[in-house]
Amino acid sequence: MLLHAPALESRQLELPGRVSQIRRTVLSEGLAQRCRRLDSRPATEQEVLRCHSDVHMRNVALGTAIPDLAWDSEQHDVLEKGDLYYNAHTSSAAILAAGSASEAALAVSRGEVDAALAVVRPPGHHATCSQAMGFCYYNSAAIAARAAVADGGMRRVVVLDWDVHHGNGTQDILYDDPNIMYISLHRYGTAGNYFYPGTGDATEVGAEGAEGRNLNVPWTEKGVGNGDYLAAFDWVILPIIREFAPQLIIVAAGFDAAQGDPLGGCRVTPTGYAQMTKRLIEVSEGGRICVVLEGGYSQIVTAECVASVLKTLLAMKGGAPQASNSLSVPEFRSTPTVKISTESILRGVVESQKPHWDLLRGESFEASFEAHVASAVVERVQTRSNSNSAGGAGAGFPNAPPLRGRKGGGKKARPQQAPAQQEEDL
């Protein structure tokens, strides 16, 4: 996976150093030594074809996955166009990432480990059934989820995606699957308020027969942070997950909503990611959880967030804190604030999902939601701009090809300036 790399002069941000830095960080903090290492392996053809077309698989293998370009080892060291690049190792890296994610999910499903972390690249959540895009070739999280159902005995799986970009590919692949629920929290905007990839509206709830199995939380402005993400979890997402009762949760763990990421323009901290992880462990049957790396383009920030998540997985072994464990879940020093827009966004999510979940139509849920609203610490600080235009697609997603997935809508990414680092809200 380290050999998939762009040209030295490239401005791409999806680099081998992302996973190298994670390895250094978890080793230096003594976390890797507490883990059992699972063997990496390529995804099987059967695993890939549960999510991708045979034509797409052939294109990735032959180097023709980038639209209008074809790889030739005698002519190219690296082939690059927009948000994709391809070298002699891209196909093997992508299929190794997908297979390793599947192996991690299967190990958790079969009870071989309590939880798993798959530090893999290239990422996958933008890859649709038939199209590579946004750094992604194979959709590792979707492939892992389908493997858990087909080979791991799981009947209900949640894929929760906290990458700052909507996982249009994961939604495309799983949209009509009643056994796998896809949940995404992401920045969202179209037209003049565009944010890559321009998909992921709250009204997209799943195809006929799988209504309610797709849930989008679309942040419509930059600067969302710990309080907003945890409000989405506590007010809406966790109650729905409890009703769905998943036997396994797979986290499509992008860390580009982290404070300091060059693309996301958001303010989630390592503690915020730890708290989200803790909550997911608590609602998954037996605490079964598999975390699969997606985006995150500040190598140091991403590594710090991964370490915080891994610390939480170790501290919550078996689904609950262990008294004999020297590790603890990171906690906030003060209550995180919530943006003014968060309440209305979450009310919109509830309205879209209400026809499909019994609990959302009950008085107890309504009372709980209103109690959360009343107790929230609302952010009153005005930022220079609340639009999506700053901190948008960034240098990593210029001139992306049109989306051809189920919810693609033919949008194109637009090159934008990366945001200045946001001030921490804690």
Side-chain angles (χ1 to χ4, degrees):
M1 284 181 271
L2 295 177
L3 296 177
H4 167 63
L8 291 177
E9 68 275 11
S10 173
R11 296 180 62 205
Q12 296 282 354
L13 293 178
E14 203 293 292
L15 301 169
R18 298 175 62 234
V19 297
S20 301
Q21 183 62 50
I22 291 170
R23 183 176 184 275
R24 287 193 293 270
T25 299
V26 298
L27 281 169
S28 67
E29 295 190 15
L31 299 174
Q33 297 86 328
R34 293 171 174 259
C35 300
R36 169 188 161 190
R37 183 170 180 174
L38 300 173
D39 291 335
S40 299
R41 64 165 176 84
T44 66
E45 181 177 357
Q46 182 182 44
E47 287 174 330
V48 174
L49 292 179
R50 290 182 187 131
C51 294
H52 295 284
S53 69
D54 55 352
V55 173
H56 177 71
M57 190 174 183
R58 185 163 58 250
N59 284 340
V60 175
L62 296 177
T64 53
I66 300 177
D68 305 320
L69 296 177
W71 165 257
D72 185 335
S73 60
E74 295 184 358
Q75 298 184 37
H76 309 112
D77 290 326
V78 182
L79 194 64
E80 182 174 331
K81 182 179 181 181
D83 54 17
L84 293 171
Y85 62 86
Y86 192 99
N87 71 3
H89 307 284
T90 297
S91 176
S92 58
I95 206 162
L96 184 61
S100 299
S102 294
E103 189 64 25
L106 288 170
V108 176
S109 299
R110 294 166 177 163
E112 298 169 10
V113 293
D114 295 306
L117 169 66
V119 181
V120 296
R121 65 175 291 274
H125 74 152
H126 292 307
T128 70
C129 175
S130 59
Q131 183 180 357
M133 59 180 293
F135 306 146
C136 304
Y137 294 89
Y138 292 130
N139 199 306
S140 297
I143 291 171
R146 288 263 168 87
V149 172
D151 304 321
M154 300 290 100
R155 297 182 304 279
R156 296 177 307 281
V157 175
V158 163
V159 176
L160 186 135
D161 188 339
W162 64 43
D163 191 286
V164 78
H165 302 95
H166 179 239
N168 60 292
T170 313
Q171 176 171 300
D172 171 71
I173 291 167
L174 301 178
Y175 203 66
D176 57 359
D177 193 326
N179 299 311
I180 303 174
M181 182 176 186
Y182 178 60
I183 302 171
S184 178
L185 305 92
H186 52 271
R187 283 183 61 184
Y188 173 72
T190 59
N193 199 33
Y194 185 82
F195 192 82
Y196 187 92
T199 58
D201 189 81
T203 59
E204 299 162 5
V205 298
E208 183 177 356
E211 296 93 339
R213 298 299 190 263
N214 197 86
L215 189 159
N216 288 317
V217 178
W219 306 125
T220 54
E221 59 179 317
K222 66 177 183 177
V224 289
N226 296 326
D228 308 289
Y229 275 77
L230 292 176
F233 268 59
D234 294 341
W235 303 8
V236 180
I237 292 173
L238 295 178
I240 291 176
I241 289 179
R242 290 189 185 99
E243 182 170 335
F244 184 59
Q247 297 167 298
L248 171 69
I249 294 178
I250 295 174
V251 182
F255 295 96
D256 38 10
Q259 180 173 311
D261 185 89
L263 296 186
C266 295
R267 300 186 302 179
V268 182
T269 66
T271 299
Y273 287 112
Q275 287 295 317
M276 287 190 282
T277 304
K278 175 178 181 289
R279 286 159 166 78
L280 293 175
I281 293 171
E282 291 172 339
V283 297
S284 181
E285 183 179 304
R288 298 189 194 98
I289 186 169
C290 175
V291 180
V292 179
L293 182 66
E294 291 283 355
Y297 304 103
S298 166
Q299 295 180 13
I300 291 176
V301 169
T302 296
E304 290 172 348
C305 292
V306 170
S308 188
V309 167
L310 180 54
K311 188 179 297 183
T312 304
L313 297 178
L314 291 166
M316 297 282 289
K317 184 178 180 181
Q322 303 296 304
S324 60
N325 199 331
S326 60
L327 293 174
S328 59
V329 179
E331 300 283 348
F332 296 116
R333 296 189 301 271
S334 59
T335 302
T337 58
V338 176
K339 294 185 82 66
I340 295 173
S341 62
T342 293
E343 177 189 345
S344 62
I345 290 170
L346 296 183
R347 287 189 187 277
V349 174
V350 171
E351 287 305 307
S352 294
Q353 294 290 332
K354 187 177 287 186
H356 315 298
W357 299 101
D358 291 339
L359 77 102
L360 297 184
R361 298 189 294 272
E363 293 182 3
S364 61
F365 174 81
E366 183 176 349
S368 174
F369 188 97
E370 297 303 333
H372 281 303
V373 171
S375 63
V377 179
V378 179
E379 175 184 291
R380 298 295 181 183
V381 178
Q382 296 296 315
T383 59
R384 286 175 296 181
S385 172
N386 286 329
S387 72
N388 268 325
S389 58
F397 292 103
N399 303 317
L403 306 192
R404 301 190 183 97
R406 177 175 284 106
K407 291 294 176 180
K411 303 296 181 183
K412 292 186 178 181
R414 302 173 185 177
Q416 300 177 13
Q417 295 296 316
Q421 182 170 334
Q422 304 292 317
E423 292 184 6
E424 188 175 0
D425 59 350
L426 295 181

